Amino acid sequence: MVGTANPQLVFVHGIGGLRDAEAERQQWLRALATGVRAAGRAELVSALTQGWLADVRFADYSDLFNARGAQGGAPGGELDPSDEQVLSDLLKAMVDELAEQYPPDSGTRDARFIEQARHQLDAVSSDGRAQGVGESGRRLVAVTTTLLQLPGLRQGAQWAGGQAFALQLSQVARYLNRHGDRAALGAAIRSRVLEGLDPTRPLVVVSHSLGTVVAYEALHEYEGPVALWVTLGSPLALGGVVLQRLVPRPPSCPEGVGAWHNFWDRNDVVVGRPRLADWIAPSARGVKAQTAPVKSGGLWTHTATKYLEHAEVAGPIAEALLP
């Protein structure tokens, strides 16, 4: 340890547009403070939000995906053909999760939209590529446009339309693509997470969505100890989409991690639920994901701040930051 230096707390975001790192750092901190108060540790709130408890950084890599001419991006805001198979697989996994919540035989309006999206995905698989350049991408945008008819997605207010939704979901594919410029993109994103970290100081990492995939690979590269790694709304256990593309393989808990807490919401359609603890092997020290469910209010539950407001999520983070 170096003197009495504060522990380090790093937030790692998921898919989305360009971010204001300081504004989001404050948003995540406020949500975490709400959860800490709910966990019965109100005396820690000021120390957390004022920066006395930990040095808090929001690891922002959004510009690498969203800037004009960003690495590995297709021109004109179009889907890159090399991303289409991963995006198709990701949408299929989301539709499967949605169909569990709204079974086809329920006869609801939501169930009909989900079945429509499934039929559209089947068309992409069967003959989309035979229809000419760009047709598969257009059909995938039709799927995301259909899914945005669901209240939980539409009222999330994150996407102006199916094209924007598809482009942001395709960030998962762009990160996991290991070829050419895409390999450089992944390395640059992991560098954003690791930059400035001091391996002689305690570290807590809180990652969300695609950020859990980024953190998984970054922590395998990190040389210092990680007191706690928290994953929120993680797609790590989506077998055919994410799990089989992780590096290193076979998937295992990063060796420096002292504890790994994974949280999922039953209504979060992006998350691979309890399977994560079974499909990612423990580290050599025997550390593996400890998975627990949370229940958020509202229609769109796939946001980091909703997860952080839960006592069971925030409590262990605060405890890990204490001297």
Side-chain angles (χ1 to χ4, degrees), residues 36 44 60 63 73 84 99 137 163 168 178 195 212 219-220 229 315 317:
V36 168
L44 297 177
D60 181 14
D63 60 299
E84 290 172 359
Q163 180 84 3
Q168 290 191 10
R178 312 296 179 174
E195 68 183 7
T212 69
L219 292 180
H220 272 286
W229 177 29
I317 297 172

Side-chain angles (χ1 to χ4, degrees), residues 164-178:
F165 188 15
L167 285 169
Q168 290 191 10
L169 281 177
S170 73
Q171 291 174 5
V172 177
R174 290 165 62 187
Y175 177 78
L176 290 170
N177 191 327
R178 312 296 179 174

Side-chain angles (χ1 to χ4, degrees), residues 68-87:
R68 185 178 297 277
Q71 298 180 61
E78 298 293 331
L79 290 173
D80 190 308
S82 66
D83 299 335
E84 290 172 359
Q85 185 58 57
V86 175
L87 178 57

Side-chain angles (χ1 to χ4, degrees), residues 26-322:
Q26 293 293 337
Q27 289 171 10
W28 286 42
L29 269 177
R30 285 195 296 271
L32 180 58
T34 297
V36 168
R37 189 177 288 108
R41 300 305 303 269
E43 76 278 6
L44 297 177
V45 168
S46 292
L48 178 66
T49 56
Q50 298 300 317
W52 306 329
L53 187 61
D55 293 334
V56 184
R57 183 168 64 88
F58 186 86
D60 181 14
Y61 55 83
S62 61
D63 60 299
L64 298 176
F65 279 130
N66 290 282
R68 185 178 297 277
Q71 298 180 61
E78 298 293 331
L79 290 173
D80 190 308
S82 66
D83 299 335
E84 290 172 359
Q85 185 58 57
V86 175
L87 178 57
S88 178
D89 291 343
L90 179 59
L91 287 169
K92 182 180 185 302
M94 291 176 64
V95 167
D96 288 344
E97 292 284 343
L98 284 163
E100 288 189 18
Q101 298 176 40
Y102 306 99
D105 58 7
S106 66
T108 66
R109 181 172 179 269
D110 290 341
R112 291 194 293 274
F113 282 129
I114 293 162
E115 282 305 290
Q116 180 182 345
R118 189 186 300 282
H119 290 316
Q120 290 170 320
L121 278 169
D122 289 343
V124 174
S125 299
S126 62
D127 63 1
R129 293 195 180 278
Q131 299 297 317
V133 176
E135 182 60 21
S136 291
R138 285 187 285 273
R139 293 192 179 205
L140 290 171
V141 169
V143 176
T144 54
T145 300
T146 297
L147 290 177
L148 284 180
Q149 303 306 304
L150 298 169
L153 293 175
R154 183 178 67 249
Q155 295 182 20
Q158 293 182 274
W159 302 287
Q163 180 84 3
F165 188 15
L167 285 169
Q168 290 191 10
L169 281 177
S170 73
Q171 291 174 5
V172 177
R174 290 165 62 187
Y175 177 78
L176 290 170
N177 191 327
R178 312 296 179 174
H179 303 291
D181 289 345
R182 300 305 179 82
L185 172 64
I189 289 171
R190 291 189 295 278
S191 292
R192 291 286 180 90
V193 174
L194 297 174
E195 68 183 7
L197 293 180
D198 182 351
T200 69
R201 295 168 55 194
L203 172 64
V204 173
V205 177
V206 178
S207 53
H208 172 245
S209 188
L210 173 59
T212 69
V213 180
V214 173
Y216 167 87
E217 298 191 340
L219 292 180
H220 272 286
E221 300 173 5
Y222 185 58
E223 296 181 353
V226 181
L228 175 65
W229 177 29
V230 176
T231 48
L232 310 171
S234 177
L236 278 165
L238 294 178
V241 187
V242 175
L243 190 70
Q244 296 172 11
R245 293 179 168 89
L246 294 175
V247 175
R249 287 191 295 263
S252 64
C253 177
E255 288 300 324
V257 171
W260 177 5
H261 292 184
N262 177 64
F263 296 95
W264 61 278
D265 191 295
R266 176 64 182 83
N267 294 321
D268 187 343
V269 299
V270 178
V271 62
R273 290 174 285 162
R275 296 185 293 267
L276 188 151
D278 299 324
W279 290 3
I280 296 184
S283 66
R285 296 192 293 161
V287 177
K288 65 180 297 185
Q290 302 298 315
T291 292
V294 296
K295 177 64 176 176
S296 298
L299 294 167
W300 174 248
T301 62
H302 186 69
T303 60
T305 50
K306 281 200 172 183
Y307 277 99
L308 288 169
E309 289 172 351
H310 288 278
E312 55 266 53
V313 176
I317 297 172
E319 293 293 335
L321 294 172
L322 291 172

